[in-house]
Amino acid sequence: MTMEGFRVLDEKSLREYIKATPSLASKLGNEVDNFKIKEVGDGNLNFVYIVISPSGSIVIKQAIPYVRCIGESWPMTKERSYFEATALKRQHEPPHIILRKGLIAGVEYPLLAEHMAEFMANTLFYTSLLYLTTTQHKSAVAEFCGNVELCRLTEQVVFSDPYKISEFNRWTSPYLDTDAEAVRNDKILKLEVAELKSKFCEKTQALIHGDLHTGSVMVTHESTQVIDPEFAFYGPMGFDIGAFIGNLFLAYFSQDGHVEQGNDRKTYKTWIMDTIADTWNLFYKKFTSLWDIHKEGPGEAYLHEIYNDLELRELVKQKYMMDLFHDSLGFAAAKMIRRIVGVAHVEDFESISDLVKRSDCERRALEFAKNLMKKRRNFNTIADVIAVAK
């Protein structure tokens, strides 16, 4: 297919592309006839190919000029790959195995919470005004402000479409028909999601991944790596934290649909909840530790000359972290809702073939998410949130 000189790669054209690109062909030993090519992309936007030869292997990702899961009726800029490449240079994170598939299979990853807390604490702290000067921060914001189309996509599919009639919305019908309608008719929910959308659009707090769900994390038992930062821009920290935690909650609510004879998944559900708790608690510890280490550094959010009193610093820190916690809960809820009654769903639920079981799991997740969004300010600890989810 050609679109203004652009074509979507397939196995034949990809082979020709590699052959014509010496830097790629050389990594595969120039053995063009011996390549094995497999398309493995499970996202909504791009194609991802693994290319293997006897001499080596590479991964090639193609950003196509429209939303893959919709088609050409929803155009997208190919230049989004620039922001992904730029963010990857800052994060240095190579891929492993998709976390979402491991969660569906019931695999425990003992270091997941530790690694994700470390990643988010470092990425968010060191790109915020807690560490940067205002001049550095404004320059960094400007570098990513051109990623408009993917921000607009998020604004539409996360904060708008699920709350109105949209041609792109879908859900497990007819079982969730009344549930989807209830979302569209919930006035309090709409007030809350409007506030979250405003924060997403206006709050240039730190460099965020922008799409940090469990399909953007690749793991082994010893290692955790973050991929696909093509949505990266300067936005609210809680959007990344909430996206990851919200998707863990989706995995939790899906588990009853994956019950097998001899495995009721109860132990695994406990592990997921422990991982959610550990992720936030470790993030809090690591993030505030970085703040303490750099309290006299160049960051201009809270100048040391003004906030050099220990009691005052603790009050500032407590308020900042509680606001961030509530933001994270709100964004977690928004991400959950959109995955149930919006355009792009998750394999956690979609892989449950029994539609009655699937809809039961989705309904419990949806009710929890609605409650979480509307009452997020009533929660003071992640343990309180988990107690409600259970």
Side-chain angles (χ1 to χ4, degrees):
M1 173 194 148
T2 301
M3 183 181 293
E4 297 180 358
F6 178 85
R7 63 174 178 173
V8 176
L9 294 172
D10 55 22
E11 182 172 338
K12 181 181 177 181
S13 58
L14 180 58
R15 194 179 298 273
E16 294 171 352
Y17 173 75
I18 294 170
K19 186 178 180 179
T21 310
S23 60
L24 296 177
S26 63
K27 293 181 182 295
L28 298 167
N30 294 301
E31 302 177 62
V32 180
D33 294 331
N34 293 324
F35 292 171
K36 292 182 179 179
I37 299 174
K38 183 179 181 181
E39 205 285 312
V40 297
D42 74 337
N44 299 302
L45 296 182
N46 309 298
F47 287 93
V48 181
Y49 299 91
I50 295 177
V51 185
I52 301 173
S53 81
S55 302
S57 63
I58 59 175
V59 176
I60 294 178
K61 181 173 182 177
Q62 185 182 34
I64 59 177
Y66 52 83
V67 177
R68 175 181 175 178
C69 69
I70 298 297
E72 294 177 45
S73 63
W74 194 329
M76 294 292 295
T77 176
K78 304 185 298 296
E79 285 68 29
R80 63 184 185 272
S81 58
Y82 162 79
F83 300 102
E84 179 172 14
T86 303
L88 280 172
K89 289 176 183 177
R90 305 282 177 86
Q91 296 167 355
H92 307 289
E93 300 287 2
H96 285 265
I97 297 168
I98 295 173
L99 172 59
R100 191 183 303 282
K101 294 186 181 295
L103 295 172
I104 293 169
V107 180
E108 294 184 14
Y109 297 98
L111 299 177
L112 177 63
E114 175 81 27
H115 290 164
M116 289 304 297
E118 185 85 17
F119 171 80
M120 292 189 292
N122 285 333
T123 302
L124 299 176
F125 178 83
Y126 284 116
T127 60
S128 76
L129 281 169
L130 296 176
Y131 181 76
L132 300 177
T133 66
T134 55
T135 301
Q136 292 170 325
H137 187 262
K138 284 182 171 64
S139 176
V141 170
E143 184 176 10
F144 282 87
C145 70
N147 202 5
V148 174
E149 275 203 358
L150 292 190
C151 289
R152 287 282 294 166
L153 178 62
T154 301
E155 291 156 20
Q156 179 174 341
V157 302
V158 176
F159 301 108
S160 297
D161 279 359
Y163 306 90
K164 66 185 183 71
I165 295 174
S166 167
E167 63 180 303
F168 302 114
N169 288 344
R170 65 182 181 89
W171 51 85
T172 306
S173 183
Y175 305 100
L176 295 185
D177 287 358
T178 57
D179 301 88
E181 184 180 9
V183 169
R184 298 194 300 270
N185 292 333
D186 192 325
K187 294 180 175 61
I188 302 301
L189 197 66
K190 288 181 176 181
L191 288 174
E192 296 297 341
V193 81
E195 180 179 321
L196 292 166
K197 182 177 182 179
S198 177
K199 288 186 178 185
F200 179 83
C201 296
E202 299 168 359
K203 197 170 186 178
T204 57
Q205 199 171 21
L207 176 61
I208 65 172
H209 179 282
D211 198 29
L212 194 54
H213 54 75
T214 52
S216 296
V217 179
M218 303 190 82
V219 291
T220 68
H221 283 88
E222 295 79 28
S223 178
T224 307
Q225 306 291 352
V226 175
I227 63 167
D228 285 351
E230 63 185 322
F231 283 78
F233 79 110
Y234 269 72
M237 295 180 185
F239 191 75
D240 270 4
I241 302 166
F244 183 67
I245 288 177
N247 273 262
L248 288 180
F249 274 120
L250 290 176
Y252 170 81
F253 283 106
S254 77
Q255 291 304 308
D256 288 348
H258 298 293
V259 168
E260 301 169 337
Q261 188 173 2
N263 182 4
D264 61 11
R265 295 281 181 126
K266 288 182 179 179
T267 300
Y268 193 62
K269 288 169 72 174
T270 298
W271 176 82
I272 294 175
M273 287 305 202
D274 289 344
T275 299
I276 291 171
D278 290 345
T279 297
W280 170 257
N281 290 331
L282 288 169
F283 168 80
Y284 186 105
K285 180 179 179 181
K286 293 172 185 292
F287 189 90
T288 54
S289 177
L290 290 172
W291 194 342
D292 289 338
I293 291 169
H294 297 285
K295 64 180 181 292
E296 297 183 37
E300 293 192 56
Y302 300 98
L303 293 171
H304 183 67
E305 294 84 353
I306 300 174
Y307 300 93
N308 55 9
D309 177 81
L310 179 61
E311 182 180 1
L312 177 58
R313 281 206 310 270
E314 286 304 310
L315 288 173
V316 165
K317 194 185 305 178
Q318 289 172 17
K319 184 181 186 308
Y320 189 101
M321 296 308 292
M322 187 57 70
D323 288 346
L324 178 54
F325 180 60
H326 291 154
D327 281 356
S328 300
L329 296 183
F331 288 124
K335 296 287 273 186
M336 293 177 71
I337 291 169
R338 82 92 155 194
R339 292 294 191 177
I340 299 170
V341 296
V343 60
H345 291 205
V346 290
E347 189 179 355
D348 309 66
F349 292 130
E350 296 288 288
S351 58
I352 302 170
S353 57
D354 185 323
L355 296 186
V356 174
K357 284 185 179 180
R358 181 197 298 178
S359 61
D360 285 344
C361 293
E362 290 174 321
R363 183 175 294 109
R364 289 197 296 272
L366 185 59
E367 288 302 313
F368 167 74
K370 289 161 58 179
N371 186 49
L372 183 63
M373 184 183 290
K374 291 187 283 190
K375 299 181 180 179
R376 64 188 183 278
R377 300 172 195 83
N378 297 340
F379 296 105
N380 294 317
T381 70
I382 194 67
D384 296 336
V385 179
I386 288 171
V388 171
K390 289 181 175 180

